[in-house]
Structure formats: C-alpha cells, structure tokens
Amino acid sequence: MAKFARLAIFCVAFVVSSTSCDVTSGTGTCDCSEAIKRLQKSLDNLNDILSQSTVVITRNQAATSCPNEIKTYQKAHYKVIEEDGARWRLFWWYKANTTWPALVSDVLQDKYGDCDASAPYCFGRLPEALMENQAEMLGIDSADNAYRWKFNSNNRVSHAVWEAFHDHKDAQVKNVDVWNPKVIRGTAPKAAQDSFHYRMEHGVRSLQIDDDNCDCLTSLSMGHGMCLEGFSTQYGPENVYGVDLLYDTYCNTPKPSNGLFLYFRDDDDCMNVTCPANKVCVDGIYSYVCVDA
Ligand SMILES: *[C@@H]1O[C@H](CO)[C@@H](O)[C@H](O)[C@H]1NC(C)=O
Ligand SMILES: *[C@@H]1O[C@H](CO)[C@@H](O)[C@H](O)[C@H]1NC(C)=O
C-alpha cells in the first residue's frame, strides 16, 4: 500500500515537472505538443498505477480486516452444505410451487447478500470477490438432480455464464464450446451443453444453458422459456415463469412447480486458522478475519 502511495506521488511530481513547454530554436515559439504527449503518457501510467493499487487495496482489505467485508459476509448468512467432497454456500434459489413474483423482471436481479435468507426465492448473483477460474457452482433441483459446474475463462459458454452470474451481463453464444456439468445425482444432459443466452423474454430477463438456444435438452433454464430470439409455444405456454429441472427429459420450459437451489464453492478459510485469544474467526471469500469474540 505505502509503496503504491509513494509511487503515485512520485508519478504526480514527474507529470508536473515534465509539463513545461519546449521552446523550439529558430522561431522562438512555444511548442507544447511534445510536452502534452508526455503528460498524456504520464497520466495513462498514473491511471494504471492507481487502478493496480485499488486492486491491491481491495485484496488487502479482504485478506486482513475490513468492516465492510464482515458486514457483507454476515448479511449473507445463506445456507452452507457439504456435497461431493466440497463446501458450498447458497446464493440463488426458487422453492417449488412459489407463486412467481409479478414484480420480478430479472432472474439475476439481486446483488449477492441482498436476499432475506428465509425468503421463498432469491435471484442472486455470485459474490463479487469470487474469481472465475477458481469458482464452481452446484445446482440441486426439486427432483434431486445435482449438477456441478467448474468455471473456465477459456470456455466461451462457461465465460458467458460467468459474466451473467457474476457481472450481470447479457449473453448469447450458440454451438461454441461444450460446458457440461459433472453429474453428482440424477441424469446427465442428453445433449452436449454448448450454448447459452441471458436476455429479456416476455418481460423477464431469463437464462438458459443448452445445446442450441431453444427450450429442449437444457441443463439450466430459469425465468421464461426461450427459443432463439423469441419463444416457441410448441414447447410450452406463454407467460409461465419459474425454473426447469436440471435434467430436461425433452422440451420442458420453466414452470413454478419446479424448485432449484444454486450454490457456489465456498471453502472454509478459517479451517487452519488460530485467532489470538478472545477473537473468533469469521470465514470470508478467499479470506478470513479474526474479530472480537
Ligand atoms: C408442487 O405442487 C404440485 C401440485 O400441488 C405437487 O404435485 C408437487 O409435488 C409440488 N412440488 C414440490 C416439489 O413440492
Ligand atoms: C488447511 O490445511 C490442509 C492441510 O495442510 C490443506 O489441505 C487445506 O487446503 C487447508 N485449508 C485451507 C482453507 O487453508
């Protein structure tokens, strides 16, 4: 931190000292274009340094002690489970037979931590602190299918799903890279999952992982049914919202009688930690804090 502050001060000093005009010999006029170019370059460098130091500050806060981190973390006291040899924390859920909330227009509308843990649904996103190539997601539906996905920034389907769940970005990738889940319980998807879209359909920003961007043989499907750029009533009725089961027998569309729970992998960072006397360890995301007991 201190190193970056010194570097930034040095850089400002450099910028200021290098802005004097170069007097070109001959005409005697003041040519500032070189100085302006240098200034621009220094500002660009300064910007880089500042953005790097912001990252470092964020990381340091996460790794040592930051009241906001604790607050965010404790606010999201969502359920933790053990499954397939790992620890998982809930972040998105829709209990079967919940009436679809008429006001909801986005299946990823909630920032991580903003839901009431006892609510019948939570359209939450992944925590911002999660890192793509270390992140994993677990889905368990009301028919007890359980799928596990490992994010991979080099897989275009995985990356688009990550950007939707983590960065709240719309997406449409079709027949690109296969991103199949590991099946923990239940039945594997019938077709290679190489397509994904997240976009508005019938008033609700919905998403779907499948083989062709159209309501059959999906693995993850929530919100309203979608087929290519629209919806096809061949597969289900209009204006029905909910989730599809992870294992889609053929062409099922999302409906409210299905339930779905999504978790992210959340290792216990307190596992090997011994806090000083009278402090207790609070687990974060790739971090922990020792707080007063
Ligand atoms: C949802 O409701 C239907 C109809 O009452 C019932 O058959 C079904 O078992 C319920 N689903 C779950 C998962 O509770
Ligand atoms: C705790 O220690 C064990 C054994 O060294 C190691 O395998 C594990 O990854 C550690 N866990 C954490 C969260 O640091």
Side-chain angles (χ1 to χ4, degrees):
M1 217 348 258
K3 193 176 108 206
F4 275 113
R6 279 202 302 276
L7 210 55
I9 289 163
F10 168 79
C11 195
V12 171
F14 175 75
V15 169
V16 171
S17 69
S18 64
T19 48
S20 58
C21 288
D22 294 331
V23 178
T24 56
S25 58
T27 63
T29 57
C30 183
D31 179 4
C32 288
S33 62
E34 274 310 307
I36 287 169
K37 263 188 230 155
R38 276 209 305 276
L39 176 61
Q40 188 57 51
K41 202 153 179 294
S42 308
L43 284 175
D44 289 347
N45 288 343
L46 182 58
N47 228 357
D48 283 351
I49 289 168
L50 283 177
S51 60
Q52 279 169 27
S53 59
T54 309
V55 170
V56 169
I57 291 164
T58 313
R59 292 227 176 104
N60 281 347
Q61 283 177 340
T64 56
S65 69
C66 168
N68 283 338
E69 162 87 357
I70 301 173
K71 220 167 73 196
T72 310
Y73 205 74
Q74 290 182 334
K75 192 166 64 167
H77 47 108
Y78 298 155
K79 194 169 112 182
V80 171
I81 61 167
E82 297 280 337
E83 189 74 70
D84 200 34
R87 182 178 183 263
W88 305 87
R89 188 178 293 269
L90 191 61
F91 74 96
W92 192 103
W93 64 90
Y94 182 80
K95 289 189 180 157
N97 291 325
T98 299
T99 303
W100 179 266
L103 288 175
V104 168
S105 60
D106 181 356
V107 296
L108 297 176
Q109 67 172 16
D110 299 311
K111 190 170 148 48
Y112 174 75
D114 277 359
C115 297
D116 175 348
S118 63
Y121 64 86
C122 171
F123 299 134
R125 296 191 293 276
L126 287 169
E128 278 166 32
L130 223 54
M131 291 193 266
E132 182 170 10
N133 287 316
Q134 298 180 30
E136 292 189 69
M137 184 164 75
L138 172 75
I140 301 178
D141 68 21
S142 51
D144 204 31
N145 295 293
Y147 287 2
R148 177 178 182 164
W149 292 268
K150 185 163 187 4
F151 286 102
N152 167 7
S153 58
N154 293 320
N155 177 301
R156 283 166 288 175
V157 171
S158 171
H159 186 63
V161 174
W162 169 262
E163 287 195 321
F165 275 94
H166 183 260
D167 305 314
H168 208 191
K169 272 176 70 173
D170 277 4
Q172 203 243 326
V173 285
K174 186 180 171 205
N175 301 137
V176 289
D177 305 319
V178 176
W179 195 52
N180 284 335
K182 174 186 176 190
V183 179
I184 296 168
R185 284 191 300 280
T187 312
K190 276 187 186 165
Q193 304 288 294
D194 63 5
S195 305
F196 172 70
H197 50 166
Y198 170 45
R199 61 170 179 79
M200 193 60 92
E201 182 59 52
H202 278 65
V204 173
R205 216 168 154 194
S206 305
L207 66 80
Q208 187 182 68
I209 306 177
D210 78 337
D211 61 327
D212 63 358
N213 287 159
C214 184
D215 266 314
C216 302
L217 311 179
T218 56
S219 47
L220 208 55
S221 174
M222 48 215 225
H224 194 276
M226 297 196 282
C227 188
L228 304 175
E229 265 70 52
F231 173 67
S232 171
T233 50
Q234 238 182 301
Y235 308 123
E238 280 184 280
N239 301 313
V240 176
Y241 306 89
V243 294
D244 194 2
L245 297 176
L246 295 172
Y247 173 61
D248 186 352
T249 52
Y250 186 44
C251 293
N252 298 314
T253 51
K255 45 184 190 219
S257 54
N258 295 324
L260 180 67
F261 295 80
L262 296 178
Y263 303 78
F264 66 93
R265 182 166 175 178
D266 183 20
D267 294 338
D268 181 3
D269 298 296
C270 285
M271 187 182 278
N272 302 325
V273 173
T274 309
C275 286
N278 301 321
K279 301 250 181 196
V280 291
C281 185
V282 177
D283 173 38
I285 293 169
Y286 315 123
S287 68
Y288 65 87
V289 281
C290 290
V291 298
D292 292 339

PDB file of all heavy atoms in Angstrom, residues 267-273, ligand 2:
ATOM      1  N   ASP A 267     -14.907 -22.655   0.275  1.00  0.00           N
ATOM      2  CA  ASP A 267     -14.054 -23.348   1.232  1.00  0.00           C
ATOM      3  C   ASP A 267     -14.010 -22.582   2.554  1.00  0.00           C
ATOM      4  O   ASP A 267     -14.126 -21.359   2.562  1.00  0.00           O
ATOM      5  CB  ASP A 267     -12.620 -23.478   0.678  1.00  0.00           C
ATOM      6  CG  ASP A 267     -12.577 -24.381  -0.543  1.00  0.00           C
ATOM      7  OD1 ASP A 267     -13.500 -25.205  -0.700  1.00  0.00           O
ATOM      8  OD2 ASP A 267     -11.637 -24.253  -1.348  1.00  0.00           O
ATOM      9  N   ASP A 268     -13.840 -23.317   3.620  1.00  0.00           N
ATOM     10  CA  ASP A 268     -13.787 -22.695   4.942  1.00  0.00           C
ATOM     11  C   ASP A 268     -12.393 -22.142   5.190  1.00  0.00           C
ATOM     12  O   ASP A 268     -11.469 -22.879   5.513  1.00  0.00           O
ATOM     13  CB  ASP A 268     -14.152 -23.735   6.005  1.00  0.00           C
ATOM     14  CG  ASP A 268     -14.148 -23.131   7.398  1.00  0.00           C
ATOM     15  OD1 ASP A 268     -13.924 -21.907   7.512  1.00  0.00           O
ATOM     16  OD2 ASP A 268     -14.369 -23.885   8.348  1.00  0.00           O
ATOM     17  N   ASP A 269     -12.240 -20.836   5.016  1.00  0.00           N
ATOM     18  CA  ASP A 269     -10.922 -20.214   5.160  1.00  0.00           C
ATOM     19  C   ASP A 269     -10.469 -20.146   6.613  1.00  0.00           C
ATOM     20  O   ASP A 269      -9.328 -19.785   6.898  1.00  0.00           O
ATOM     21  CB  ASP A 269     -10.932 -18.808   4.548  1.00  0.00           C
ATOM     22  CG  ASP A 269     -11.230 -18.861   3.063  1.00  0.00           C
ATOM     23  OD1 ASP A 269     -10.420 -19.423   2.330  1.00  0.00           O
ATOM     24  OD2 ASP A 269     -12.288 -18.359   2.632  1.00  0.00           O
ATOM     25  N   CYS A 270     -11.350 -20.488   7.534  1.00  0.00           N
ATOM     26  CA  CYS A 270     -10.972 -20.489   8.958  1.00  0.00           C
ATOM     27  C   CYS A 270     -10.401 -21.836   9.380  1.00  0.00           C
ATOM     28  O   CYS A 270      -9.927 -21.978  10.507  1.00  0.00           O
ATOM     29  CB  CYS A 270     -12.204 -20.195   9.827  1.00  0.00           C
ATOM     30  SG  CYS A 270     -12.678 -18.461   9.792  1.00  0.00           S
ATOM     31  N   MET A 271     -10.464 -22.804   8.466  1.00  0.00           N
ATOM     32  CA  MET A 271     -10.115 -24.178   8.813  1.00  0.00           C
ATOM     33  C   MET A 271      -8.776 -24.308   9.541  1.00  0.00           C
ATOM     34  O   MET A 271      -8.675 -24.995  10.546  1.00  0.00           O
ATOM     35  CB  MET A 271     -10.089 -25.017   7.541  1.00  0.00           C
ATOM     36  CG  MET A 271      -9.914 -26.493   7.793  1.00  0.00           C
ATOM     37  SD  MET A 271      -9.840 -27.353   6.216  1.00  0.00           S
ATOM     38  CE  MET A 271     -11.574 -27.503   5.858  1.00  0.00           C
ATOM     39  N   ASN A 272      -7.723 -23.652   9.050  1.00  0.00           N
ATOM     40  CA  ASN A 272      -6.390 -23.813   9.628  1.00  0.00           C
ATOM     41  C   ASN A 272      -5.946 -22.610  10.455  1.00  0.00           C
ATOM     42  O   ASN A 272      -4.771 -22.409  10.679  1.00  0.00           O
ATOM     43  CB  ASN A 272      -5.371 -24.053   8.511  1.00  0.00           C
ATOM     44  CG  ASN A 272      -5.738 -25.269   7.679  1.00  0.00           C
ATOM     45  OD1 ASN A 272      -6.264 -26.243   8.199  1.00  0.00           O
ATOM     46  ND2 ASN A 272      -5.473 -25.193   6.385  1.00  0.00           N
ATOM     47  N   VAL A 273      -6.918 -21.786  10.815  1.00  0.00           N
ATOM     48  CA  VAL A 273      -6.574 -20.522  11.476  1.00  0.00           C
ATOM     49  C   VAL A 273      -6.737 -20.631  12.984  1.00  0.00           C
ATOM     50  O   VAL A 273      -7.727 -21.171  13.467  1.00  0.00           O
ATOM     51  CB  VAL A 273      -7.497 -19.385  10.957  1.00  0.00           C
ATOM     52  CG1 VAL A 273      -7.270 -18.111  11.759  1.00  0.00           C
ATOM     53  CG2 VAL A 273      -7.252 -19.142   9.484  1.00  0.00           C
TER      54      VAL A 273
HETATM   55  C1  LIG B   2      -5.828 -26.484   5.608  1.00  0.00           C
HETATM   56  O1  LIG B   2      -4.731 -27.349   5.722  1.00  0.00           O
HETATM   57  C2  LIG B   2      -4.855 -28.536   4.950  1.00  0.00           C
HETATM   58  C3  LIG B   2      -3.682 -29.421   5.291  1.00  0.00           C
HETATM   59  O2  LIG B   2      -2.474 -28.723   5.148  1.00  0.00           O
HETATM   60  C4  LIG B   2      -4.928 -28.179   3.476  1.00  0.00           C
HETATM   61  O3  LIG B   2      -5.067 -29.320   2.682  1.00  0.00           O
HETATM   62  C5  LIG B   2      -6.121 -27.274   3.254  1.00  0.00           C
HETATM   63  O4  LIG B   2      -6.163 -26.827   1.909  1.00  0.00           O
HETATM   64  C6  LIG B   2      -6.060 -26.062   4.173  1.00  0.00           C
HETATM   65  N1  LIG B   2      -7.306 -25.329   4.034  1.00  0.00           N
HETATM   66  C7  LIG B   2      -7.364 -24.018   3.938  1.00  0.00           C
HETATM   67  C8  LIG B   2      -8.718 -23.431   3.751  1.00  0.00           C
HETATM   68  O5  LIG B   2      -6.402 -23.301   4.007  1.00  0.00           O
END
